[in-house]
Amino acid sequence: MDETVEDFRREAVMGALSSGLSRTRVAADLGIGKSTLAKWIVDYRPGEPASGQQADLARANERLRQFLRVSARGYRAWASRPVYQRASALI
């Protein structure tokens, strides 16, 4: 990819993260879509200490979900039940 395009994307992300403006506003000012800017932010966001921990948690959750063979939708349905109904489902 062209280096000027990469520079533009990086500058757009830095501007979106540091300007204090909404991402919708920043995207409109730059003439790009909000979803495009959001993807660039995910791709170019500087590494944060928590991001590694979050990735580890996401992997652990995925392994647990596969072990239990529970879909995300099924888990959310179970989690939305009152606590007394959840406990009886485990017995």
Side-chain angles (χ1 to χ4, degrees), residues 34-85:
K34 186 173 99 172
S35 61
T36 301
L37 180 60
K39 182 183 179 322
W40 292 354
I41 289 172
V42 169
D43 291 345
Y44 291 105
R45 176 171 270 169
E48 300 170 358
S51 65
Q53 293 170 350
Q54 289 173 348
D56 291 342
L57 287 174
R59 282 191 296 274
N61 284 341
E62 183 59 31
R63 283 193 308 270
L64 183 59
R65 185 178 297 122
Q66 288 176 354
F67 175 75
L68 297 173
R69 291 187 177 93
V70 176
S71 67
R73 188 168 161 202
Y75 172 77
R76 285 191 298 272
W78 174 81
S80 68
R81 295 180 191 163
V83 174
Y84 65 89
Q85 287 181 349

Side-chain angles (χ1 to χ4, degrees), residues 7-8 11 27 32 43 49 52 54-55 62 72 87 91:
D7 290 340
F8 175 75
E11 290 297 321
I32 59 174
D43 291 345
Q54 289 173 348
E62 183 59 31
I91 298 175

Side-chain angles (χ1 to χ4, degrees), residues 7-33:
D7 290 340
F8 175 75
R9 289 181 178 185
R10 200 169 293 111
E11 290 297 321
V13 170
M14 291 302 127
L17 295 176
S18 63
S19 69
L21 298 172
S22 71
R23 291 183 182 172
T24 304
R25 175 66 188 265
V26 172
D29 289 348
L30 294 172
I32 59 174

